[in-house]
Amino acid sequence: MAITPSALLAALSADHAVSGAELARRLQVTRAAVWKQIEQLRELGAPVEAAAGRGYRLAWPLEPLDAARIRDGLDAATRKRLAELSVHWRIDSTSTELLRRASTASGIEVCLAETQSAGRGRRGREWQSPLGGNLYFSLLRRFDAGMAQLSGLSLVVGTAVVAALADCGVAEVGLKWPNDVLADGRKLAGILVELGGEFLGPCHAVIGIGINLRLPAAACARIDQPAIDLASLRRGKVPSRNVLAARLIVRLVDALDRFAAQGFAAFAEAYARCDLLRGRDLRVFAAGAVHEGVGAGVDERGALIVRHGKSTTHYDSAEVSVRAA
Ligand code: BTN
């Protein structure tokens, strides 16, 4: 009989080691099949440790993503708005999946995965997606008024992520324009907003969110900027992934409805509360040049305002770094 990686993971524990023989007996496969699957889980980044002479154990307790538990965490109004909620064991990218479904989707769709084989970040970067503890989440929503009306959307998403984290007791986070979620000066979560459809007519947004809950050292080393996970931020006290996913859905559905009706203006205050660049000395990389100035908030479209002496510049798109004092 074939052994599924999720069944093997479920048979492991963080409390005690389980021997290869015991795993083989429970899963009704050979010890060689167990060993092979353990190696595959490790290659995907799962935290499976060998306990000398005693078998295998998990470096931390794993809570599998569970669509039913996520739905249980939604209020009735949000549950009604959700046309589809899918949880995958492994997928190329949750955002790529929703982009594939965009033309046929009938309403709001959410897709989550335990691991991604081709996780995508902004500006063509790869998003590290090891198995076993992080959140890889995408949401698809349609808008009637066209892509032209969606400026500031990614900042609005940032405020929803901050609110969802706060719902789970994680308050010490802020936003680095346009939408990096930082804690302790390092990246805790990333947001990728991809738009399709008409400029002035019906269109859709696929909002991809990756939150580091448990980032193994090997994955952390592959990231080209300082990164942090909730486990180190909160000394091992990591919120439930299913509860966090539910809070993300609730916060996003509400924020996107308000954004569709009122635009970015309705979020200006919420964004200002999370804005980590205001008043900071910045280096802005835009259109092949480097500009220095001081962060002065965002405008009504969500563009970054930078003060250079007495003048200001508004940047719709740029890479920003904070200059060391
Ligand atoms: C960034 O570069 O900061 C954006 C990262 C976005 C990552 C998430 S993980 C879920 C979704 N699927 C992807 O392939 N990317 C987004």
Side-chain angles (χ1 to χ4, degrees):
M1 209 167 76
I3 176 172
T4 66
S6 54
L8 176 56
L9 212 49
L12 293 169
S13 165
D15 293 334
H16 56 270
V18 187
S19 71
E22 171 65 12
L23 289 167
R25 193 189 60 74
R26 273 202 239 161
L27 299 164
Q28 297 188 311
V29 293
T30 63
R31 286 177 67 170
V34 168
W35 181 83
K36 198 171 154 200
Q37 195 60 253
I38 291 269
E39 286 311 302
Q40 282 176 9
L41 284 174
R42 283 185 173 146
E43 274 165 29
L44 293 175
V48 183
E49 297 177 340
R54 285 176 295 130
Y56 305 99
R57 65 183 297 162
L58 296 172
W60 54 75
L62 287 187
E63 178 208 13
L65 290 171
D66 179 338
R69 282 198 62 200
I70 296 172
R71 277 187 196 279
D72 282 349
L74 304 178
D75 55 81
T78 309
R79 209 173 298 146
K80 251 174 132 177
R81 296 290 316 284
L82 208 56
E84 176 81 29
L85 170 65
S86 59
V87 173
H88 300 256
W89 166 257
R90 187 170 191 226
I91 199 167
D92 51 356
S93 149
T94 53
S95 285
T96 306
E97 169 66 5
L98 291 187
L99 287 171
R100 283 190 287 262
R101 300 170 63 101
S103 59
T104 53
S106 57
I108 294 176
E109 295 205 0
V110 169
C111 176
L112 292 113
E114 292 285 0
T115 180
Q116 304 183 117
S117 56
R120 297 183 287 111
R122 286 181 23 237
R123 299 176 187 276
R125 291 188 181 110
E126 185 187 348
W127 186 258
Q128 291 298 316
S129 309
L131 177 74
N134 293 327
L135 209 60
Y136 313 115
F137 170 108
S138 297
L139 180 146
L140 164 76
R141 189 198 195 276
R142 305 192 158 285
F143 292 88
D144 294 330
M147 289 191 273
Q149 296 297 313
L150 299 185
S151 63
L153 171 59
S154 68
L155 283 67
V156 169
V157 173
T159 63
V161 173
V162 170
L165 285 165
D167 291 342
C168 296
V170 183
E172 52 280 72
V173 298
L175 295 171
K176 171 175 171 266
W177 184 93
N179 55 16
D180 281 350
V181 181
L182 302 191
D184 200 16
R186 289 176 282 168
K187 188 149 163 172
L188 177 69
I191 296 165
L192 175 71
V193 176
E194 295 170 291
L195 305 179
E198 294 177 35
F199 195 65
L200 295 171
C203 67
H204 62 261
V206 170
I207 294 160
I209 299 168
I211 303 182
N212 301 328
L213 282 88
R214 303 261 192 191
L215 200 55
C220 199
R222 285 193 289 268
I223 301 176
D224 62 358
Q225 67 187 113
I228 191 167
D229 62 8
L230 286 177
S232 41
L233 186 67
R234 313 204 68 228
R235 300 209 180 99
K237 277 185 66 190
V238 172
S240 151
R241 286 193 302 161
N242 290 305
V243 172
L244 179 55
R247 293 315 302 166
L248 266 181
I249 296 171
V250 170
R251 291 294 189 170
L252 275 171
V253 168
D254 173 62
L256 297 175
D257 283 352
R258 281 191 293 133
F259 177 68
Q262 302 167 44
F264 181 68
F267 294 86
E269 272 181 40
Y271 187 82
R273 279 197 297 275
C274 311
D275 184 355
L276 295 173
L277 297 187
R278 185 181 278 271
R280 303 293 302 271
D281 288 334
L282 304 180
R283 191 167 279 138
V284 182
F285 304 83
V290 184
H291 313 268
E292 294 195 340
V294 178
V298 298
D299 68 15
E300 66 290 347
R301 292 175 298 116
L304 175 70
I305 308 173
V306 178
R307 183 163 292 122
H308 319 273
K310 285 188 177 151
S311 69
T312 57
T313 309
H314 295 219
Y315 296 95
D316 283 301
S317 154
E319 284 262 24
V320 182
S321 66
V322 176
R323 273 190 292 157

